[in-house]
Each structure stands twice: as C-alpha cells, then as structure tokens.
Amino acid sequence: QSALTQPPSASGSPGQSVTISCTGTSSDVGAYKYVSWYQKHPGKAPKLMIYEVSKRPSGVPDRFSGSKSGNTASLTVSGLQAEDEADYYCSSYAGDNNFEFGGGTTLTVL
Amino acid sequence: EVQLVESGGGLVQPGGSLRLSCAASGFTFSDYWMHWVRQAPGKGLVWVSRLNGDGSSSGYADSVKGRFTISRDNAKNTLYLQMNSLRAEDTAVFYCAGEFNPGGLGWGRGTLVAVSS
C-alpha cells in the first residue's frame, strides 16, 4: 500500500488531454509544496516532469502541467502523443526528512 | 553533464549485507541532498533514504530503518547505501537520485539487488 494514492491506469487518444490524480493527506501533499511527478518508461530511469507542484524542468514540454488542491495533486498531459505512454509517479515531501511516492499510473495512448 | 552511476548490486543471501555506491559527476556534489529510491520487480517506486550535502541530516523509510545506512564522501563525489539484514522483499533496482530541484529528483540508471538463497 503506497502512501500516496494514484489510479492504476489512465488513457486518452492522441491530441486529447488526460489528468492523473495523486491523493495524500494533510501531512504530506496538503502540507508542503514539494510535490513532484515522474515519467518512467520500462527499463529506463525515471524522468522528472514537474516539481514544486507546477514547475517544469528545462526541456519538459509545456503539454505537461501540475496543480494541487488540498490533499490532492494532479498532473495533466495535454495534446497526448504516442511517446507519452509510460508510467507516471507522484511524490511528496512528508516532513521529518521523509518522502513518499504514489503507486504509479500507467498512461495508455489509444 | 550531470551523471549518477550506481554500482555494487548483485545476488546476496537473506540476512546478508551489501554496499551500494553512486558516483556523481557534472555538478557540485556537496551542494545537494541525495536520495536512494528502489523499485521491486513489477512494482512501483519506493523512497528509501535521503542525506543532506554535508552528511549531517538523514531520513529513512520505516521499512529500512535500523537496517540501511546512507552516507557520502564529498571528496570522492560518491554516495553510499550500506544494507544489512537483507530480506527477500528488498529485491529491487536501487536508484541513486539528486535533489537538483526543490523536492524534484534527477536519477541514475540503477543497480539490481537480488536477495535469495
């Protein structure tokens, strides 16, 4: 059981938008701005897509956006492309030098 | 170019020990918090441990507390994870990651640890 709850799967057609949720508690997602999202393709290292809830590292397309409301963070992928098909993980600082990950969401581009 | 290269993984018997290393290059190693994160076969990412730049402050997941120790040698630009009392459920790819953005990690390619008799 992961500390942060994500839907196991999500899907959309090319060009559509899809949103993945990440639900925590008032001790992690709700308490801190340090929510991040990672993209992971099989056999590859995870890649940072969003940090501090909504900031994009250099090189990440602006099709990827993040937000937070209360204890739930969200990742939205707009203009879906075939290469967006991957596993996505959220992460949050949880205080006392601890971090948590969500269980991961498999995004399928139909 | 930022590089993180893990090593030290392998097959170990239950109850055994292993020390992972992560060689860092392309950035000022001592400036950054460093993490270990693992992924068991077919499972999701799980945070393991975190250490600040001068090695004075650390955190551990409950599942490894008392068994794993994170450390660093800033002169050698290397992060370590000493793993003792290993269990079958510790079998995973272990990733070294640097907190190059607040709360956001940049990753190495991982090293596989298999705990089995």
Side-chain angles (χ1 to χ4, degrees):
Chain A
Q1 186 97 12
S2 300
L4 306 179
T5 300
Q6 298 180 233
S9 62
S11 62
S13 299
Q16 288 187 331
S17 293
V18 64
T19 296
I20 299 170
S21 63
C22 171
T23 301
T25 70
S26 57
S27 298
D28 41 54
V29 174
Y32 302 99
K33 64 179 181 178
Y34 303 114
V35 176
S36 300
W37 289 90
Y38 301 91
Q39 178 190 66
K40 191 177 186 308
H41 289 103
K44 297 281 190 78
K47 177 185 177 183
L48 177 66
M49 306 303 284
I50 297 288
Y51 69 98
E52 283 190 288
V53 176
S54 60
K55 296 180 180 179
R56 275 187 312 276
S58 173
V60 173
D62 60 6
R63 301 185 295 103
F64 291 84
S65 61
S67 63
K68 187 181 84 165
S69 177
N71 298 336
T72 298
S74 299
L75 172 72
T76 297
V77 186
S78 305
L80 271 174
Q81 299 181 4
E83 60 261 36
D84 298 335
E85 188 162 291
D87 292 329
Y88 290 85
Y89 293 89
C90 64
S91 171
S92 175
Y93 183 63
D96 198 25
N97 257 335
N98 287 289
F99 274 73
E100 298 165 339
F101 279 90
T105 298
T106 298
L107 175 60
T108 302
V109 180
L110 302 170
Chain B
E1 179 195 2
V2 170
Q3 279 203 320
L4 298 169
V5 180
E6 301 91 338
S7 61
L11 177 64
V12 61
Q13 292 188 338
S17 298
L18 212 55
R19 188 177 83 157
L20 305 183
S21 299
C22 171
S25 60
F27 63 101
T28 304
F29 181 64
S30 58
D31 282 353
Y32 296 94
W33 287 83
M34 297 296 295
H35 297 239
W36 288 100
V37 179
R38 65 183 177 183
Q39 184 175 31
K43 303 293 187 181
L45 299 174
V46 175
W47 179 79
V48 173
S49 183
R50 177 199 198 208
L51 184 66
N52 72 340
D54 66 9
S56 62
S57 180
S58 61
Y60 295 91
D62 287 343
S63 59
V64 307
K65 208 171 286 185
R67 299 189 300 126
F68 290 11
T69 302
I70 190 172
S71 63
R72 64 196 298 160
D73 185 335
N74 287 341
K76 295 182 177 179
N77 288 345
T78 302
L79 179 73
Y80 302 102
L81 186 67
Q82 177 66 43
M83 304 186 295
N84 300 329
S85 303
L86 282 161
R87 307 165 180 167
E89 54 265 36
D90 294 318
T91 293
V93 174
F94 280 74
Y95 294 98
C96 164
E99 196 170 329
F100 304 122
N101 294 287
L105 306 181
W107 305 67
R109 302 201 67 172
T111 186
L112 176 62
V113 172
V115 184
S116 175
S117 53

